[in-house]
Amino acid sequence: MDTLSLKEVRKLILQQQGLSGQAQPKGVDQTRQQIQQIGYVQIDTISVIERAHHHILKSRIHDYHAGFLQQLEEDRSVFEYWAHAASYLPIENYRYSLPRKIDFQTGKEKWFKRDPKTLNYILDRLKAEGPLQSKDFKPATVKKNSNGMDWSRNPMNQALRQLFMQGHIMITARKGFQKVYDLTERVVPIHIDQSHPSQEEYLQHLILRDIQAHGVLKQREMGYLLKGTSKPIQQELAKMVEAGTLTPIFIEKQAQTQYYTTPELLDTLGELKIRKRLHILSPFDNLLIQRKRMEELFDFSYTLECYVPGPKRQVGYFALPLLYGDQFVGKIDLKADRKRKVLMIQNLVWEPNLKQQEKMESLLEKSLAKFAAFNACDGVA
């Protein structure tokens, strides 16, 4: 069984993640291909800087702007559903969203108490009127919390989410950040395979999607946060290794842990190169979302502190990881002051073992100028 160096593994991971710095893809089509490559792009509502789904793609697509993703959703190249969280996914993978939708339809998974009357009311209106936003439905009486109206407890919003998770409705577009819903049969293109995958097909999709996106993975890192998949994935891995589809490997300093990759990816190791660029990454970036993995393979400890009480924060509310080449070199807490059009540096912390700090500061200054423009800011302060 092969044992790879950490250097080799990092190169492979960053190549598969589109963060090797070797190429600078441009345009809508390259954006679509990048989403296919990394499997999905997480959607998040935090807006102290440009939202995560746009940030993730900007880190990989040189001329990316929000209109690219809007175009891809409107031309049905991507759709919104659940990966490990709410995400944009390639439309070609639509059929692999069906197992979870069935779980919601049968009650195996549920978020809210089912309200058939409200569910049918929404479906009837969409059928008769076409695409609608949540605000188009009659507001229901909801309880208030300390911040005012608690929209998560609005029966209409709960019913919309329920129908969405069940697969009866989909998000057909967004107006700003507001979702526009329609019936699924009017959203999914007719040429897209909508047949329900077998369990074997579903498990192989999860495994190969994740290895394609991340290069090497251990068993517990596959199907991340998908309920009930751990043991079936373990069983499927054994079959795929026996069939030669996957190759088990070890990684230096992780000698007791078995990882998996494909023979094809192993064959590329000698050709991989990293061009040293400084990337300002989103906390929700696909590369980073499994924090323990980052500690084990990149020696990088990271906590998203917006979920940490203010007095206990070490770096800041929305500190962004800084990647240079194949090493994480620091964290920077940024906020876009949109009224003044200024990108505010609220804190900057370099990693303890950082060398050539002056060089990093110079590179960061250039990266921040570009990042400010991406956030519709004229300068940095």
Side-chain angles (χ1 to χ4, degrees):
M1 193 180 298
D2 290 333
T3 298
L4 305 185
S5 70
L6 275 175
K7 199 80 174 171
E8 288 175 314
V9 167
R10 289 178 183 179
K11 282 182 181 180
L12 181 56
I13 291 169
L14 294 173
Q15 175 67 33
Q16 296 305 108
Q17 277 289 305
L19 293 169
S20 68
Q22 284 297 103
Q24 288 190 295
K26 296 181 180 181
V28 175
D29 192 55
Q30 290 289 313
T31 303
R32 177 185 57 79
Q33 290 181 38
Q34 191 62 70
I35 296 171
Q36 290 174 332
Q37 171 61 32
I38 62 177
Y40 61 88
V41 172
Q42 183 176 342
I43 302 167
D44 196 76
T45 59
I46 295 174
S47 59
V48 290
I49 58 169
E50 182 59 90
R51 287 188 170 95
H53 37 291
H54 297 309
H55 186 174
I56 292 165
L57 291 169
K58 180 61 178 175
S59 296
R60 293 159 171 81
I61 306 297
H62 184 62
D63 61 344
Y64 177 83
H65 60 79
F68 286 7
L69 197 48
Q70 180 181 346
Q71 182 176 334
L72 290 173
E73 184 159 44
E74 289 176 353
D75 70 18
R76 305 294 183 247
S77 294
V78 299
F79 71 105
E80 296 187 37
Y81 196 63
W82 213 257
H84 80 272
S87 302
Y88 289 99
L89 299 99
I91 194 65
E92 293 83 359
N93 293 344
Y94 174 80
R95 67 192 295 251
Y96 299 108
S97 70
L98 297 177
R100 185 161 196 179
K101 290 171 179 174
I102 296 298
D103 286 346
F104 272 91
Q105 290 173 25
T106 59
K108 188 176 179 181
E109 278 200 57
K110 59 181 179 181
W111 287 351
F112 312 109
K113 184 178 179 181
R114 193 170 301 199
D115 178 358
K117 184 177 178 180
T118 305
L119 296 178
N120 288 331
Y121 168 73
I122 289 172
L123 289 173
D124 288 344
R125 283 202 57 194
L126 286 171
K127 185 175 181 180
E129 301 174 42
L132 295 170
Q133 295 175 253
S134 58
K135 69 179 183 180
D136 296 319
F137 295 94
K138 183 180 177 181
T141 302
V142 295
K143 293 183 179 180
K144 293 184 178 182
N145 58 22
S146 58
N147 297 317
M149 207 67 84
D150 185 357
W151 293 108
S152 67
R153 301 179 70 177
N154 182 327
M156 286 294 175
N157 284 341
Q158 289 184 353
L160 283 166
R161 291 187 197 180
Q162 184 75 24
L163 288 167
F164 174 76
M165 293 307 294
Q166 288 176 353
H168 295 308
I169 65 175
M170 292 179 70
I171 297 164
T172 185
R174 284 181 181 257
K175 293 182 178 178
F177 200 60
Q178 298 303 308
K179 301 167 187 173
V180 181
Y181 294 98
D182 200 358
L183 300 175
T184 293
E185 57 264 32
R186 296 202 292 235
V187 177
V188 181
I190 194 168
H191 68 275
I192 294 299
D193 187 353
Q194 299 181 48
S195 62
H196 198 286
S198 66
Q199 186 182 41
E200 182 180 49
E201 287 177 315
Y202 178 59
L203 293 171
Q204 288 189 8
H205 165 73
L206 293 180
I207 292 166
L208 293 175
R209 177 199 69 179
D210 289 353
I211 287 180
Q212 173 183 281
H214 296 282
V216 299
L217 288 164
K218 62 177 78 170
Q219 180 258 318
R220 69 171 177 79
E221 294 169 341
M222 299 176 186
Y224 180 58
L225 294 184
L226 292 177
K227 197 183 296 183
T229 60
S230 181
K231 190 171 182 179
I233 281 177
Q234 186 177 15
Q235 294 168 344
E236 193 61 36
L237 280 172
K239 296 178 188 176
M240 294 174 77
V241 169
E242 188 176 349
T245 309
L246 296 180
T247 301
I249 59 165
F250 289 116
I251 299 173
E252 67 170 350
K253 299 184 181 179
Q254 304 285 326
Q256 304 305 311
T257 305
Q258 188 165 282
Y259 285 78
Y260 298 87
T261 188
T262 65
E264 293 79 11
L265 287 177
L266 272 182
D267 288 343
T268 69
L269 286 177
E271 305 164 9
L272 298 179
K273 294 180 181 178
I274 298 291
R275 184 174 178 181
K276 291 188 174 180
R277 299 180 186 273
L278 186 67
H279 297 281
I280 303 171
L281 296 179
S282 167
F284 301 103
D285 197 284
N286 295 48
L287 173 67
L288 286 150
I289 205 65
Q290 297 194 52
R291 312 297 193 211
K292 186 170 177 59
R293 175 177 165 84
M294 287 297 98
E295 288 187 35
E296 293 171 347
L297 299 182
F298 285 85
D299 193 25
F300 182 61
S301 178
Y302 176 70
T303 300
L304 177 55
E305 294 185 334
C306 61
Y307 304 120
V308 175
K312 295 184 178 181
R313 290 176 190 147
Q314 300 296 308
V315 182
Y317 177 82
F318 205 60
L320 312 178
L322 301 175
L323 175 70
Y324 178 65
D326 64 355
Q327 292 185 313
F328 286 93
V329 295
K331 301 155 191 161
I332 186 166
D333 185 29
L334 297 175
K335 180 178 181 179
D337 184 335
R338 294 181 174 90
K339 287 186 178 178
R340 295 193 299 138
K341 293 192 173 184
V342 174
L343 184 67
M344 304 294 295
I345 303 174
Q346 303 191 118
N347 198 11
L348 170 62
V349 178
W350 296 110
E351 288 294 283
N353 57 354
L354 177 67
K355 298 175 182 178
Q356 298 180 302
Q357 184 172 321
E358 285 187 12
K359 178 182 178 180
M360 287 301 111
E361 288 172 349
S362 175
L363 290 170
L364 179 59
E365 186 176 354
K366 294 175 183 176
S367 294
L368 281 170
K370 295 176 183 176
F371 196 70
F374 172 60
N375 281 272
C377 293
D378 297 330
V380 180

